[in-house]
Amino acid sequence: MSREEDKIGSGWFEVEPFHVDVTGHLALGVLGNELLNCADAHAERRGFGMTWLHDNRCTWVLSRLVMEMERMPRQHERFCIRTWVENVYRLFTDRDYEMITAEGEVLGYARSVWAMIDMDTRKPKDLLALHGGQIAGYVCDKACPIERPGRIKVRAEEPVRTYRAQYGDIDVNGHVNSVKYVEHMLDLFPLEWFREKRIRRFEVAYHAESYYGDTLSFYREEAGDGAYGIEVRKEGGEVVCRSKVEFI
Amino acid sequence: MSREEDKIGSGWFEVEPFHVDVTGHLALGVLGNELLNCADAHAERRGFGMTWLHDNRCTWVLSRLVMEMERMPRQHERFCIRTWVENVYRLFTDRDYEMITAEGEVLGYARSVWAMIDMDTRKPKDLLALHGGQIAGYVCDKACPIERPGRIKVRAEEPVRTYRAQYGDIDVNGHVNSVKYVEHMLDLFPLEWFREKRIRRFEVAYHAESYYGDTLSFYREEAGDGAYGIEVRKEGGEVVCRSKVEFI
């Protein structure tokens, strides 16, 4: 195994019956959960996981997530998620993912961008200064051949839906779970679209937290070529997150 | 291993960060999913799983589910689900579950009642006649020390919420997923209740299927001693499911 290969974390998954959508393929939200779990496990083994975070009153904050799939695995299919760190900057780190089958078929790739904040001050930490700069040694040169997250603009002025955040949306930190936004955004599209097309690329940028009881307004607009921009705003207009969904 | 022990299926689970609720404990809906997955895996190994069902144009239909927990496992905790068949009747079979930790602490029990239907005619199959009566040989005498599902009555006349079934609610059979009802029912209660109390027992009885676009009305009423009855009805009044939730 090369030194670069050593830097890649991996985990095997089986697509369980309750993790598929109407088409019998893995639901995008479940894939998102698994990616975030893999990131946590990989960081944990390198000393930047939950345990260290908890002791140091820090937490990773997900800023961007892009998933781009050639195909989604089917019910009962096994696949592997591989994850590695592409870049570390002072305030952000890029973590990439590859999804492959046991036969080596690449199902797709994902990219994520993370910051680390102090839980008390909510201020960002200097990643390059942590553990004596050790994190930079984890950067891996494996390629992630999908486009980086871009700038998402949504100009729609009338929400297509409003939703009040419920018990089931809230994670252990008291925030709406980042993957729940993804699920609520997919629910803005008709069921037939998921049967007749598929999502090639899903991109989300997180801007602010929302909480139990917040009324979230969803704005959607066509962005051409089967793509849709979605913006989620809180009462008062603060943008919570923006997304771009590409159906093909 | 005794003959009875041979009849028990088991699977280990780790409580992943995205499977916990605001309290940091396994979400009830996720536990429900895992129970149903275990049932499928156990039935599969005995020749009554997805493969046989698919070839014979049959499907298991969940009629009742009761979960009763001493405590819910916490994030990153590992636990085992053990499942066995308690009874087989002509039209129904009782399947039980036990949740235990690696140290042997019993976390709780569950009970489920299933029927098998022909997918074309939607008529129930005679379970005692299948595979030459082989199913009766799987009955195990292990005890399940929680009350059987009871009769649930809800007399409330004004819905506390209405909800239109979305893409994310629909399973591969085109129905609202049985666990999604559980999640929507829990969302009827304030977040504080989950922080201050916990659910000791959750019971659900399924009466009819609902589909994409159906408007579901949720009726809730106090049943005394921290218990609540919930009824889900479709437009036109048909009862989809009824539930009883006990907070302590």
Side-chain angles (χ1 to χ4, degrees):
Chain A
M1 200 151 63
S2 73
R3 271 213 67 226
E4 292 307 297
E5 196 64 21
D6 271 346
K7 297 175 183 170
I8 302 174
S10 64
W12 282 93
F13 298 88
E14 182 170 327
V15 182
E16 294 185 8
F18 283 86
H19 292 161
V20 301
D21 72 359
V22 67
T23 70
H25 293 84
L26 182 64
L28 194 71
V30 176
L31 176 62
N33 278 342
E34 298 298 4
L35 295 178
L36 303 185
N37 279 337
C38 284
D40 177 46
H42 190 238
E44 182 76 42
R45 283 194 296 273
R46 273 142 198 84
F48 291 101
M50 294 290 185
T51 316
W52 183 86
L53 292 168
H54 185 261
D55 293 348
N56 289 270
R57 304 275 312 146
C58 289
T59 186
W60 286 112
V61 175
L62 179 63
S63 169
R64 302 288 189 108
L65 179 66
V66 190
M67 297 175 270
E68 203 174 301
M69 299 302 282
E70 281 300 312
R71 75 169 179 88
M72 271 293 187
R74 284 177 298 266
Q75 186 167 316
H76 292 302
E77 194 172 351
R78 276 172 59 81
F79 71 103
C80 182
I81 298 177
R82 309 181 76 211
T83 180
W84 64 97
V85 178
E86 182 185 325
N87 292 300
V88 181
Y89 306 104
R90 206 165 65 83
L91 300 180
F92 290 99
T93 176
D94 297 330
R95 172 181 285 285
D96 301 338
Y97 310 82
E98 181 184 59
M99 281 65 81
I100 52 171
T101 65
E103 293 73 35
E105 178 194 351
V106 176
L107 298 169
Y109 290 94
R111 290 179 170 277
S112 59
V113 180
W114 301 79
M116 190 186 283
I117 62 163
D118 182 295
M119 285 167 82
D120 301 314
T121 66
R122 309 299 291 174
K123 280 190 184 157
K125 306 286 280 186
D126 180 347
L127 295 175
L128 296 171
L130 292 172
H131 284 210
Q134 205 181 324
I135 196 174
Y138 299 136
V139 171
C140 174
D141 63 11
K142 182 173 165 64
C144 185
I146 63 168
E147 233 177 88
R148 293 178 186 280
R151 202 178 178 79
I152 303 167
K153 271 189 199 162
V154 179
R155 276 152 306 227
E157 279 170 21
E158 283 301 318
V160 288
R161 184 168 301 161
T162 60
Y163 174 81
R164 202 154 167 266
Q166 313 287 344
Y167 156 72
D169 294 308
I170 307 301
D171 67 17
V172 67
N173 300 311
H175 308 136
V176 171
N177 173 325
S178 44
V179 170
K180 286 287 172 183
Y181 295 114
V182 176
E183 295 177 351
H184 292 311
M185 289 191 278
L186 295 181
D187 278 345
L188 300 179
F189 298 97
L191 187 73
E192 297 70 51
W193 290 24
F194 296 90
R195 283 191 161 132
E196 293 161 7
K197 317 176 195 196
R198 66 175 194 87
I199 293 175
R200 189 190 75 87
R201 180 177 165 101
F202 185 97
E203 181 173 342
V204 55
Y206 297 98
H207 297 283
E209 299 287 1
S210 70
Y211 306 91
Y212 177 71
D214 279 351
T215 298
L216 303 174
S217 297
F218 292 77
Y219 297 79
R220 181 187 62 194
E221 91 187 353
E222 272 202 69
D225 290 329
Y228 289 79
I230 301 167
E231 189 166 272
V232 182
R233 293 183 212 152
K234 281 199 259 197
E235 271 169 304
E238 189 185 7
V239 174
V240 176
C241 58
R242 291 191 185 98
S243 174
K244 191 177 174 190
V245 192
E246 290 179 45
F247 283 92
I248 56 166
Chain B
M1 199 151 64
S2 73
R3 268 213 71 225
E4 292 307 297
E5 195 66 18
D6 272 346
K7 297 176 183 169
I8 302 175
S10 64
W12 281 93
F13 298 88
E14 181 171 328
V15 182
E16 295 186 7
F18 284 85
H19 291 163
V20 301
D21 72 358
V22 67
T23 70
H25 293 83
L26 182 65
L28 194 70
V30 176
L31 176 62
N33 278 341
E34 298 298 5
L35 295 178
L36 302 186
N37 280 336
C38 284
D40 176 44
H42 191 239
E44 182 75 41
R45 284 194 294 274
R46 274 142 197 83
F48 291 101
M50 294 290 184
T51 315
W52 183 87
L53 293 168
H54 184 263
D55 293 348
N56 289 271
R57 303 276 313 147
C58 288
T59 187
W60 285 111
V61 175
L62 179 63
S63 168
R64 301 288 189 108
L65 179 65
V66 190
M67 297 175 272
E68 203 173 302
M69 300 301 284
E70 281 300 312
R71 76 169 177 88
M72 271 292 187
R74 285 177 298 266
Q75 187 167 315
H76 292 302
E77 194 171 350
R78 276 172 60 79
F79 71 103
C80 182
I81 299 177
R82 308 181 76 211
T83 179
W84 64 95
V85 177
E86 183 185 325
N87 292 301
V88 181
Y89 306 103
R90 207 166 64 84
L91 300 180
F92 291 99
T93 176
D94 296 332
R95 172 181 284 287
D96 300 339
Y97 310 82
E98 180 185 58
M99 281 65 80
I100 52 170
T101 66
E103 294 74 35
E105 176 193 352
V106 175
L107 298 169
Y109 290 93
R111 290 180 171 275
S112 59
V113 180
W114 300 79
M116 190 186 284
I117 62 163
D118 181 295
M119 287 168 81
D120 300 314
T121 65
R122 311 298 291 175
K123 282 192 183 156
K125 306 285 280 187
D126 180 346
L127 294 174
L128 296 172
L130 292 172
H131 284 209
Q134 206 182 324
I135 196 173
Y138 299 137
V139 171
C140 174
D141 63 11
K142 182 173 165 64
C144 185
I146 63 169
E147 232 177 272
R148 293 179 187 280
R151 201 176 178 81
I152 304 167
K153 271 190 198 161
V154 179
R155 277 152 304 229
E157 278 169 21
E158 283 301 317
V160 287
R161 185 167 299 159
T162 60
Y163 174 81
R164 201 155 168 266
Q166 313 288 344
Y167 156 72
D169 294 307
I170 308 301
D171 68 15
V172 67
N173 300 313
H175 309 136
V176 171
N177 172 324
S178 45
V179 170
K180 286 287 170 182
Y181 295 113
V182 176
E183 295 178 352
H184 292 310
M185 288 191 278
L186 296 181
D187 277 346
L188 300 179
F189 298 97
L191 187 73
E192 296 71 50
W193 289 24
F194 296 90
R195 283 192 163 129
E196 293 162 10
K197 318 178 195 195
R198 67 174 194 88
I199 293 175
R200 189 189 75 86
R201 181 178 164 101
F202 185 97
E203 180 173 342
V204 54
Y206 297 99
H207 297 283
E209 299 286 1
S210 69
Y211 305 92
Y212 177 70
D214 279 352
T215 298
L216 303 174
S217 297
F218 292 76
Y219 297 79
R220 182 187 61 194
E221 91 187 353
E222 273 201 69
D225 292 327
Y228 289 80
I230 301 168
E231 187 166 273
V232 182
R233 291 182 214 154
K234 282 199 259 196
E235 272 168 304
E238 189 185 7
V239 174
V240 175
C241 58
R242 291 190 185 98
S243 174
K244 191 177 174 192
V245 192
E246 290 180 44
F247 283 91
I248 55 165

